[in-house]
Amino acid sequence: MAITAGTHTYRNFIAGRWQESAATRFVTNRNPATGEVLGQVPQSSREEAAAAIEAAAAAFPAWRDTPGPVRGRMLFRVLELFERELPRLAEILTREEGKTLAEATGELQRSRNILEYIAGEGRRLRGETLPSERPDTFTYTKREPLGVVALITPWNFPVAIPIWKLAPALVCGNTVVLKPATLTPWTASVLMEIFHEAGMPPGVVNMVIGPGGTVGEELLTHPAVRAVSFTGSNEIGTRLYRQAAAAGMRVQAEMGGKNPVVVLDDADLELAVTGTIQGAYGSTGQRCTATSRVIVTPGIADRFVEEVVARAARLVVGDGLQPSTEVGPSVDEAQMRTVLDYIDIGVREGARLLTGGRRLTDGALAAGWFVAPTVFDHVTPSMRIFQEEIFGPVLAVCRVPDFDAALEAANAVPYGLASSVYTRDVGAAMRFVDRSEVGIVHVNNPTVGGEAHLPFGGTKATGVGPREQGSVAIDFYSELKVVYLDYTGVPRTGNLY
Ligand code: NAP
């Protein structure tokens, strides 16, 4: 069932079948660069979400009992099909989300690496053998799946994030219901096509397209759902975390970031500028790990700012399908308005706007939601543009006297996802690594990106629950069972503590 753009109405995928939603309300899915209509997004109901949960619950016993290596082999089949679909999926991703074709290809590369790595985990779902205090007693731990797991994902990495949740959930033996973001149903539908074609048993993977407040609500209250893995905003994530915890569900919530780059006097200027530009404007700043703050010391500040401004001003903004484009649009009008509002806030707060700061509407750009790459200088830690996630191509530069002030400013936000330091001083780099309050710290490297076999996630207000990606992803999606096997044949005596 290959979906083509135009008047297509996206469908739910439940119990191994594509099902027309009974919705009477639809949202139009559009290409944010051109306004092109891609399809109609049904506002599915709680009942449809419940049907997906029940299909997942029915499929669970057989999938749980399928050996781990066989589940892993199924994911290797998914990987094969994913590789076949890569060019088509890259184009769909660009048309639906707006990132450039090169960035879309990068996201798909990361997704394929995750599939490849996690599929192998099917053979490594290990427990531990430990000695017992008693003779002739065998004690060990084993991993078991949880049951039905709900996966709620955002629009900004609409392939990689579903994949980094689906793969470990499935390899552990869980069955899943995916609720993709309303803005990216097409990419999610292609993923379902791939899982379907790979021969995933009916009900093991399900997808319901609809509003978070309705479909999400059912996923968080249905008694068959054992766990929820969420990636998205703090506003939704913190509410969802409380709700899931109150219902006794296991919950993982990966949320926003306000990621700093610290540039010290002895930094390699070229390295620091290039990394900052990549981190701030790649994916139009719509990454949880985007560089949104630069904290810079006096010996390099003027040269650094001058070069960053010059490069930001030269970036080619446009439709991500054009090979020359370096920065795509905001994902929709609302996101663009949020970014423009923050630019106004920055100006009103007294930060110095050095480049950008406006919507771009020249020629073909008028049809999309484009914001010029923006740099603010003389931003202070109390300003909202220093504290709050903007999720757009806006960089705030904050000048500080020395390393200690830089570290303090870097940590002076509620978020704790990624950070980076540019320096040639190993001691300063290691002090930053030790004291930066984040889940991912870089040295002489942009704040963005993540390798498939390394854990990913944040601390403080960014993240709750175990990390995603890498082999630690297994921790969230499995239960550790402890086994005592006594072959003494003699009743226990004494104090059974
Ligand atoms: P969002 O608005 O929080 O939405 C995320 C998902 O939650 C969507 O599927 C959304 O559905 C759903 N949702 C909305 N209301 C809900 C509710 N009441 N109950 C259950 N689910 C609900 O976030 P977004 O705008 O899509 O994504 C951008 C955010 O994600 C940024 O803050 C970014 O930093 C963060 N992010 C974090 C990471 C990380 O790993 N830390 C990675 C990527 C993105 P609808 O689309 O239908 O509203």
Side-chain angles (χ1 to χ4, degrees), residues 152-157 161 164 179-183 210-213 216-217 220 230-234 236-237 239-240 254-257 287-288 389 391 417 456 462 468:
I152 302 179
T153 53
W155 49 263
N156 70 326
F157 278 80
I161 294 177
W164 85 45
K179 194 217 96 57
T182 296
L183 287 169
E217 192 64 27
L220 288 163
F230 168 88
T231 300
S233 64
N234 283 65
I236 306 294
R239 201 155 15 106
L240 174 143
E254 281 299 334
M255 299 170 280
R287 277 166 158 153
C288 53
E389 185 179 51
F391 229 50
L417 184 52
F456 184 89
T462 294
E468 303 199 77

